[in-house]
Amino acid sequence: MRTIQGSLIVSSFVNIILGYSKGWGTLTRFFSPITIVPVVCVVGLGLFMRGFPLLANCVELGLPMLIVLVICQYLKHFHSSVHPVLEMFGLLICVGIIWAFAAILTVAGAYNNVGYQTKQSCRTDRSYLVSSSPWVRVPYPFQWGAPKFRASHVFGMIGAALVSSAESTGTFFAAARLAGATSPPAHVLSRSIGLQGVGLLLNGIFGAAVGTTASVENVGLLGLTHIGSRRVVQVSTAFMFFFSIFGKFGALFASIPLAIFAAAYCVLYGIVAAIGISFIQFSNNNSMRNHYVLGLALFLGISIPQYFVSNTTGDGHGPVRADGGWFNDILNTVFSSPPTVAMIVGTLLDNLLEAKKNANDRGIPWWKPFQNRKGDSRSDEYYSMPIRMNEWMPTRYL
């Protein structure tokens, strides 16, 4: 655990430097709608293993959850009075119904004589989460002791920090599109990656087991509920603080069977993937050059990571096995990420394959205004910092 702390602390500075040096924003200036389509698509499609394969571990819960969730989309059109309720709270209602059904099956003993995998996927009392969790536990810095820094772990986590930057970038574009905002300008993307690095640093200081990245499922939820208010995020943050301190309540929600989440992921990740496809409208849909770039970036964005994941051994050694362990860790991590591979392939092809000649086909006239701080008058409205933070933060960090 202390090694993970050290790795998170060191790797956080990768995101902080990329963000606040404007390095990530400079990189995004090479993007176009043709680049964004495969990146955002595989942000959703690249997580396909968390969908039906996970749902199938407990079909009696996952499949009803998926069916009820789809039925909700029809029910909200039956009467105007139920439309806002099912649109905003449909997912919560479905989770509550199937969760109660799972609790009944657990108490009735339906999962007493099943395999370990089924128990983990179906039971609401797996690992006795609620009973073993403390009522109150306040996290504090370095609670597991002084962090340890090992090169092999640090370089692997640096690769993960680069991957999270690429994945989060695709998520940011999807969130902006679903919220009806303009595409994030370069300085906003840099600022976001920098703040993500600050979050990663806090994860390491407080001893979290994993780092932070943008939540793909929350972006899908944004499309499902049509709620894009910052207030929702702020209230959700308060709940996260509450659940992290009062362990019994957090454990109660953690007892929701995994198959229920998997069913929700089938819908939420699908929405994100579909939003990625919608970016193609800003380019020439009939250009064979664009079809070539999109097709290759999409296919390799899924195919290459699948190869790396399939050829990774149980002890974490991937297919790249050069003499330098740090080199192996970075490359194996980077090429195991679908959005990162799609971003690399799409950006290179889009900028090297007759880029200037096909600027209009690539959608550059639509894309270019969003790359400047003052390129679109609406950007300040959408991307200004909350609670008047811009009044006391240095301009270069905005």
Side-chain angles (χ1 to χ4, degrees):
M1 195 67 192
R2 293 161 63 187
T3 304
I4 295 176
Q5 281 185 267
S7 302
L8 287 173
I9 290 171
V10 174
S11 61
S12 69
F13 289 101
V14 174
N15 281 17
I16 293 173
I17 292 171
L18 279 175
Y20 291 121
S21 68
K22 309 298 183 184
W24 195 256
T26 301
L27 173 64
T28 59
R29 295 181 188 277
F30 293 98
F31 290 178
S32 74
I34 297 300
T35 308
I36 295 303
V37 171
V39 173
V40 178
C41 278
V42 298
V43 162
L45 295 179
L47 298 170
F48 65 92
M49 288 302 296
R50 299 186 188 179
F52 202 86
L54 191 59
L55 179 155
N57 290 332
C58 188
V59 178
E60 61 269 29
L61 296 181
L63 200 56
M65 174 64 187
L66 182 59
I67 293 173
V68 172
L69 195 55
V70 173
I71 290 175
C72 270
Q73 298 303 304
Y74 291 93
L75 292 178
K76 69 181 184 181
H77 297 293
F78 281 175
H79 198 278
S80 59
S81 61
V82 300
H83 186 279
V85 175
L86 290 179
E87 185 168 87
M88 291 187 291
F89 305 109
L91 180 60
L92 288 178
I93 294 172
C94 294
V95 169
I97 293 172
I98 306 301
W99 188 13
F101 177 54
I104 293 172
L105 290 178
T106 301
V107 173
Y111 303 118
N112 289 346
N113 300 309
V114 296
Y116 175 78
Q117 184 65 52
T118 304
K119 288 183 178 181
Q120 289 298 104
S121 299
C122 301
R123 295 187 69 94
T124 57
D125 61 350
R126 62 184 186 278
S127 303
Y128 304 98
L129 287 172
V130 178
S131 60
S132 61
S133 299
W135 278 103
V136 180
R137 186 180 186 279
V138 180
Y140 56 90
F142 305 116
Q143 55 188 315
W144 312 117
K148 292 183 178 180
F149 302 94
R150 293 181 179 175
S152 59
H153 291 82
V154 167
F155 282 111
M157 198 63 76
I158 288 175
L162 294 172
V163 163
S164 72
S165 298
E167 294 178 350
S168 295
T169 298
T171 307
F172 296 152
F173 278 103
R177 183 94 180 109
L178 284 167
T182 59
S183 287
H187 74 279
V188 171
L189 292 172
S190 288
R191 182 183 72 194
S192 302
I193 296 301
L195 289 173
Q196 185 170 291
V198 174
L200 198 60
L201 177 61
L202 292 175
N203 286 153
I205 292 174
F206 281 90
V210 294
T212 55
T213 187
S215 173
V216 181
E217 48 268 39
N218 281 350
V219 174
L221 191 61
L222 174 65
L224 187 66
T225 62
H226 298 167
I227 299 176
S229 171
R230 283 182 174 179
R231 188 71 63 191
V232 174
V233 179
Q234 293 164 353
V235 172
S236 300
T237 303
F239 273 109
M240 293 300 102
F241 277 110
F242 177 84
F243 291 139
S244 66
I245 295 173
F246 299 97
K248 293 289 186 186
F249 296 97
L252 178 64
F253 284 96
S255 69
I256 300 175
L258 299 177
I260 295 179
F261 287 117
Y265 291 160
C266 290
V267 176
L268 302 180
Y269 293 156
I271 290 174
V272 175
I275 284 299
I277 297 173
S278 72
F279 278 95
I280 200 173
Q281 67 183 293
F282 303 114
S283 61
N284 184 356
N285 297 338
N286 296 315
S287 168
M288 285 304 300
R289 181 257 184 206
N290 289 351
H291 295 165
Y292 178 84
V293 174
L294 288 173
L296 193 56
L298 273 171
F299 186 82
L300 293 182
I302 296 176
S303 183
I304 291 177
Q306 182 62 31
Y307 167 77
F308 273 76
V309 171
S310 300
N311 289 275
T312 298
T313 60
D315 56 358
H317 293 290
V320 178
R321 300 181 185 180
D323 293 335
W326 62 271
F327 180 79
N328 299 340
D329 292 337
I330 291 178
L331 284 190
N332 285 322
T333 303
V334 167
F335 287 101
S336 296
S337 164
T340 307
V341 174
M343 181 179 291
I344 293 171
V345 175
T347 303
L348 288 176
L349 290 176
D350 190 43
N351 285 274
L352 297 178
L353 189 60
E354 299 180 323
K356 291 184 179 180
K357 178 181 176 182
N358 294 278
N360 290 335
D361 288 349
R362 296 167 60 207
I364 298 301
W366 173 84
W367 176 261
K368 194 171 182 180
F370 303 124
Q371 299 311 297
N372 302 314
R373 186 181 292 268
K374 301 297 182 182
D376 192 295
S377 58
R378 299 169 294 174
S379 293
D380 286 338
E381 174 188 354
Y382 294 131
Y383 299 111
S384 60
M385 298 290 282
I387 59 175
R388 302 171 66 180
M389 291 175 63
N390 55 302
E391 295 182 5
W392 53 269
M393 284 186 70
T395 305
R396 69 185 300 265
Y397 297 129
L398 299 176

